[in-house]
Amino acid sequence: MNNLGVIFKRELGGYFATPLAYIFIVIFLVLASVFTFYLGAFYEAGQADLNAFFNFHPWLYLFLIPAVAMRLWAEERKSGTIELLMTLPVSRGAMVLGKFLAAWVFVGIALLLTFPMVLTVNYLGDPDNGAIITGYIGSWLLAGGYLAIGSCMSALTKNQVIAFIVSVVACFVFIVSGVSMVQNLFSGWAPQWVLDTIASFSFLIRFDAISKGVLDLRDLLYFFSLMAVWLFATAIVIDLKKAD
């Protein structure tokens, strides 16, 4: 557990040691505001909720989270520091989990800095703050899912740009798996249980329910299982490519 803490502190401190962390936070806050107040028509809707804020998170994260995840392992391999990391008395699981948790907490900090949204909606009306809190939980879980996928893709290559592109594509597949257009491609020949299985992997379907205040155990299990599977895959990839 101490080893996990060392990796976590090292990685989290590394984010704020460069201007990139602050640039990411500023970009995230600006885009979240633009999507909410302009594209989401927050004021025009005339409703005291943050649906206009949360609805864009799957698409906002599609590019921002892979940008965070791409450096997790690709940068270590490119700079050669991964060799030093491998010599430390730290288990592979602690390395993978420590790096992931640091990135997840970093994204969580950026998400918490959107608290003026909550103040604004409470000033303008009488919102269901329980649903808002649930939406934030769902958004953080969604970010964790993206990060876990991005972690695995980062471990596959030394090139951060390649890691970013592959992560975006992989996350996009998980987003659109529940979209009607994709479902229609299979509806003509696939049985219903296949369609339901494909749809069950969709980030949109899982996140939509949570963002509206419905915290279902099945959705929580989905996100935590997704993270566990992709982090396990990350550890396997690191072992397979440690000689590269």
Side-chain angles (χ1 to χ4, degrees):
M1 196 67 180
N2 290 335
N3 292 334
L4 174 62
V6 170
I7 297 295
F8 172 79
K9 291 178 181 178
R10 170 185 179 268
E11 291 298 315
L12 187 60
Y15 282 108
F16 294 98
T18 66
L20 291 177
Y22 304 98
I23 293 173
F24 169 84
I25 290 175
V26 170
I27 291 175
F28 173 72
L29 296 178
V30 169
L31 289 179
S33 299
V34 170
F35 285 175
T36 301
F37 295 109
Y38 294 97
L39 298 181
F42 175 78
Y43 292 113
E44 289 81 354
Q47 297 179 343
D49 58 44
L50 285 182
N51 287 339
F53 172 61
F54 291 120
N55 285 343
F56 288 99
H57 280 204
W59 304 103
L60 183 61
Y61 288 162
L62 180 60
F63 296 98
L64 292 183
I65 301 301
V68 174
M70 68 182 185
R71 64 177 293 277
L72 288 178
W73 295 101
E75 184 179 13
E76 297 274 14
R77 295 184 63 217
K78 183 177 180 179
S79 63
T81 54
I82 193 170
E83 297 175 0
L84 175 62
L85 192 62
M86 293 297 179
T87 63
L88 298 176
V90 181
S91 68
R92 198 75 73 248
M95 291 180 191
V96 172
L97 188 58
K99 279 177 163 288
F100 168 77
L101 289 176
W104 201 19
V105 168
F106 169 66
V107 173
I109 291 172
L111 186 60
L112 286 176
L113 290 176
T114 63
F115 71 90
M117 299 279 190
V118 181
L119 299 180
T120 299
V121 76
N122 274 275
Y123 175 77
L124 295 175
D126 186 23
D128 182 353
N129 284 309
I132 291 176
I133 292 173
T134 302
Y136 271 94
I137 293 173
S139 181
W140 195 46
L141 290 173
L142 180 68
Y146 280 71
L147 276 171
I149 294 173
S151 173
C152 186
M153 301 309 165
S154 178
L156 286 170
T157 176
K158 297 178 181 179
N159 191 309
Q160 293 189 44
V161 175
I162 294 176
F164 172 79
I165 294 172
V166 177
S167 296
V168 170
V169 172
C171 292
F172 181 74
V173 170
F174 274 89
I175 290 177
V176 301
S177 61
V179 175
S180 58
M181 184 183 300
V182 175
Q183 291 283 297
N184 291 336
L185 295 176
F186 298 91
S187 60
W189 54 273
Q192 187 60 43
W193 67 268
V194 172
L195 299 178
D196 293 339
T197 301
I198 294 174
S200 68
F201 286 102
S202 174
F203 283 150
L204 287 180
I205 292 176
R206 300 290 182 174
F207 176 65
D208 185 62
I210 298 178
S211 66
K212 287 181 170 54
V214 181
L215 203 59
D216 193 302
L217 179 61
R218 290 170 295 182
D219 295 327
L220 296 178
L221 288 175
Y222 165 79
F223 281 111
F224 282 115
S225 298
L226 180 83
M227 287 184 263
V229 168
W230 282 100
L231 291 178
F232 181 71
T234 302
I236 293 176
V237 170
I238 291 170
D239 277 332
L240 291 176
K241 299 180 74 68
K242 62 184 177 183
D244 289 0

